């Protein structure tokens, strides 16, 4: 039933819980995984690294963020070489980039974690998982924080 599964990760332990579920689904249906991480402008690790080098340009911070995201996904892909086909690190808005990748990659399923924010936190930070569920071109499996 599933052949291509998109797995958004943000570097958190919670997000990686979705990876466990995606792995089970993929092994059960002989599907392949694509991992995606969308670095943002305000990635604190990349920004700090850039600042320690002295004055930097916006493009340098962007490239450092993408490089770190790619290294992170490559390390995960190395643990699952029989399942992971591709890693993607589009820069910018995570929900928009996940939805774009899902639509253009013709994925059968998205497996994403939810941070479970509510109230003011959800209003301020938004919910990537919520936006993906509402607008995805394919089914979405949402893994909660207690899974």
């Amino acid at each position: 039933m599933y052949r291509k599964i998109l797995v958004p990760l943000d570097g958190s332990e919670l997000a990686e819980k979705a990876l466990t579920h995606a792995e089970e689904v993929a092994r059960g249906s002989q599907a392949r995984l694509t991992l995606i991480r969308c670095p943002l402008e305000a990635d604190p690790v990349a920004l700090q690294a850039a600042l320690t080098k002295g004055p930097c340009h916006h493009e340098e911070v962007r490239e450092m963020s993408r490089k770190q995201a790619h290294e992170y996904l490559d390390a995960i892909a190395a643990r699952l070489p029989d399942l992971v086909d591709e890693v993607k690190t589009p820069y910018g808005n995570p929900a928009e980039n996940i939805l774009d990748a899902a639509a253009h990659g013709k994925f059968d399923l998205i497996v994403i974690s939810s941070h479970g924010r509510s109230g003011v936190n959800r209003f301020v930070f938004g919910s990537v998982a919520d936006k993906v569920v509402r607008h995805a071109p394919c089914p979405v499996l949402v893994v909660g924080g207690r899974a």
Side-chain angles (χ1 to χ4, degrees):
M1 175 176 213
Y2 301 115
R3 294 287 171 235
K4 292 180 69 176
I5 301 172
L6 184 62
V7 185
L9 299 169
D10 66 7
S12 69
E13 281 184 39
L14 179 59
E16 288 187 25
K17 287 183 179 184
L19 184 62
T20 303
H21 292 270
E23 182 181 356
E24 285 184 40
V25 172
R27 291 196 190 283
S29 62
Q30 298 178 348
R32 304 294 294 170
L33 303 177
T34 294
L35 309 178
I36 185 170
R37 182 170 183 189
C38 308
L40 297 170
E41 187 92 31
D43 181 324
V45 176
L47 186 57
Q48 181 63 36
L51 291 175
T52 60
K53 291 182 175 182
C56 65
H57 298 285
H58 170 79
E59 200 55 43
E60 290 177 58
V61 174
R62 176 183 276 199
E63 193 51 42
M64 289 181 86
S65 293
R66 287 194 69 196
K67 182 179 181 223
Q68 289 172 346
H70 213 283
E71 288 171 356
Y72 165 73
L73 294 180
D74 283 344
I76 291 173
R79 296 189 328 232
L80 303 167
D82 58 324
L83 292 179
V84 176
D85 267 347
E86 184 179 17
V87 298
K88 294 178 175 281
T89 56
Y91 190 81
N93 183 292
E96 289 176 14
N97 283 318
I98 292 164
L99 291 167
D100 186 58
H104 290 97
K106 298 182 179 160
F107 286 90
D108 304 306
L109 179 68
I110 300 170
V111 180
I112 189 169
S113 68
S114 172
H115 288 279
R117 291 186 184 107
S118 62
V120 174
N121 279 338
R122 184 181 180 128
F123 178 75
V124 172
F125 297 110
S127 170
V128 172
D130 183 58
K131 290 173 188 168
V132 170
V133 167
R134 290 179 188 271
H135 302 288
C138 62
V140 180
L141 171 60
V142 179
V143 177
R146 296 185 186 126

